[in-house]
Amino acid sequence: MSEQLERLNKLPLRANLRGLSPYGAPQLDVPILLNVNENTHGVPDDVQSAITEAVAKAATGLNRYPDREFTELREALAEYLGHGLGPENLWAANGSNEVLQQILQAFGGPGRKALGFPPTYSMYPLLASGTDTEYVRGVRADDYNLSAESAAGQVRDLAPNIVFLCSPNNPTGTGLGLDVVEAVYEAGEVSQAIVIVDEAYHEFVHDGTPSALTLLPGRERLIVSRTMSKAFALAGARLGYMAAAPEVTDAIRLVRLPYHLSAVTQATALAALHHREALMADVEDIKIQRDRIVAELTRMGLTPAASDSNYVFFGGLEDPHRVWQGLLEAGVLIRDVGIPGHLRVTAGTETETTVFLEALEALLAGQSPLSA
């Protein structure tokens, strides 16, 4: 046992937190970072200027608390999402993780349970533990897909209070059909389950793929969460949000911290929303690189999953850690998600993608790749 863990265990820590590890991905200083699904294109110059101007204006009033209801931001988010949503349907927090945490604070807790379908986003069980909510692990098919029949059956059998549906799913990148969401919602009627559809990567889906936002009318237990970290290239700004029935946002107000969204955060998010056309142009380029990765990995004899996200989950590797280490030594950091035979890579710029593909192909051929 490490000295740090010994010190931790001497504290009166809650029992359900003992032995857990905090969320984390390697933070290494290498030329090409493709491991945490960031938008590697960065914020365009004109958007940077708009954000700088907005933040400078907000700075003149930093002696005062920000708008507790972030009304202007909720209006802008509702306008961006469309689907007949109004500001009363929107809520935001410091990243979609805080949104999910607030949902669990309001609807989870001791004696309640949340259901997820691994492999999926690794924060779900950690958020559950942090709110003393039991986390129940459902199952997927061998190809990691989740059918409406299977998901609904598990909801009926397990009677959870909260259900996490990640679409596109992290780490596999595969989207869920709306039939799955509808079936899970109906199956959760008996336990009055809150159904969360985590659409953090929805802006990257293939054209014509519908959002669960279309299912919100008449479903007061349905929540759709989003983020500005990925498509909007604002991972460092920490702004996540959700759309739901007005009574759900009222429930979240019961657990939110006072003035939880800073004036700087609100100003940054508003400026980005007002200049989203430039940001969405980068999204289209990322989608091109993602599809390129899928095609090239298939050519190399690997088995990439169909992706609706800004990353590609791929298998067919005899020794994924050796490949991961070889790429790291070549200056390319991707993600080992702990699934045998698989790795995950973020779709970066055209140059970054080229370096990754060339290094990977060299490693598969038993050669040493060039250093990035």
Side-chain angles (χ1 to χ4, degrees):
M1 183 183 296
S2 70
E3 182 181 346
Q4 183 179 4
L5 185 58
E6 282 188 35
R7 292 199 304 269
L8 179 62
N9 283 334
K10 289 179 180 178
L11 295 175
L13 195 66
R14 289 200 335 243
N16 70 317
L17 295 181
R18 291 190 179 277
L20 294 183
S21 299
Y23 174 86
Q27 291 184 300
L28 304 174
D29 185 16
V30 297
I32 298 180
L33 298 171
L34 303 175
N35 67 321
V36 288
N37 304 336
E38 295 160 321
N39 184 331
T40 67
H41 287 63
V43 180
D45 290 344
D46 58 339
V47 184
Q48 286 186 41
S49 298
I51 290 174
T52 300
E53 182 179 346
V55 169
K57 183 178 179 180
T60 63
L62 289 182
N63 60 309
R64 302 293 186 183
Y65 286 117
D67 175 10
R68 185 175 58 236
E69 290 296 311
F70 46 97
T71 306
E72 187 179 359
L73 177 56
R74 287 190 294 113
E75 290 172 347
L77 287 168
E79 188 272 330
Y80 167 65
L81 291 180
H83 294 285
L85 296 168
E88 68 278 5
N89 299 109
L90 271 296
W91 187 256
N94 295 285
S96 59
N97 285 323
E98 186 177 47
V99 172
L100 297 176
Q101 181 183 59
Q102 290 174 339
I103 295 169
L104 283 163
Q105 287 174 319
F107 300 106
R112 299 193 174 191
K113 56 188 174 185
L115 170 65
F117 297 93
T120 192
Y121 185 34
S122 59
M123 273 301 298
Y124 298 154
L126 292 176
L127 290 167
S129 293
T131 56
D132 211 2
T133 306
E134 180 186 358
Y135 185 73
V136 182
R137 291 169 171 80
V139 296
R140 292 175 178 266
D142 291 342
D143 62 359
Y144 304 118
N145 281 314
L146 184 64
S147 70
E149 181 181 8
S150 173
Q154 293 179 69
V155 170
R156 283 191 291 268
D157 291 342
L158 297 168
N161 303 99
I162 296 170
V163 181
F164 290 108
L165 295 174
C166 191
S167 182
N169 187 46
N170 185 1
T172 61
T174 50
L176 281 179
L178 294 188
D179 61 324
V180 179
V181 180
E182 292 176 296
V184 165
Y185 187 89
E186 184 177 344
E189 179 69 32
V190 174
S191 60
Q192 285 292 283
I194 294 290
V195 179
I196 305 167
V197 183
D198 184 350
E199 291 189 344
Y201 299 92
H202 184 79
E203 284 89 351
F204 300 100
V205 300
H206 288 86
D207 292 344
T209 303
S211 165
L213 292 170
T214 61
L215 301 179
L216 283 174
R219 293 181 173 89
E220 72 282 353
R221 293 181 288 105
L222 180 63
I223 300 173
V224 179
S225 67
R226 294 277 188 98
T227 182
M228 294 185 74
S229 293
K230 313 302 182 181
F232 284 85
L234 291 181
R238 312 308 303 129
L239 196 291
Y241 59 101
M242 71 175 203
E247 54 266 40
V248 173
T249 61
D250 284 342
I252 300 303
R253 285 179 173 86
L254 300 175
V255 299
R256 62 99 179 267
L257 294 175
Y259 312 104
H260 70 290
L261 274 185
S262 76
V264 171
T265 299
Q266 293 181 42
T268 300
L270 278 165
L273 284 164
H274 292 156
H275 294 80
R276 58 181 178 263
E277 292 80 7
L279 293 162
M280 291 305 114
D282 283 341
V283 167
E284 291 306 310
D285 184 62
I286 291 168
K287 291 165 68 174
I288 290 171
Q289 299 309 315
R290 172 202 64 201
D291 294 343
R292 177 188 172 202
I293 291 171
V294 170
E296 287 296 296
L297 295 185
T298 301
R299 180 186 60 79
M300 294 179 199
L302 299 176
T303 53
S307 178
D308 269 307
S309 56
N310 71 334
Y311 53 88
V312 178
F313 174 75
F314 61 100
L317 299 167
E318 293 185 7
D319 189 348
H321 184 73
R322 180 188 68 81
V323 173
W324 181 88
Q325 186 65 43
L327 289 169
L328 180 61
E329 291 171 1
V332 181
L333 179 62
I334 68 171
R335 189 72 174 266
D336 184 346
V337 293
I339 298 175
H342 290 76
L343 293 170
R344 190 193 71 192
V345 61
T346 304
T349 63
E350 182 178 3
T351 299
E352 291 170 330
T353 300
T354 297
V355 173
F356 159 71
L357 290 170
E358 290 179 350
L360 177 62
E361 189 158 27
L363 287 166
L364 294 177
Q367 303 168 0
S368 296
L370 297 175
S371 181

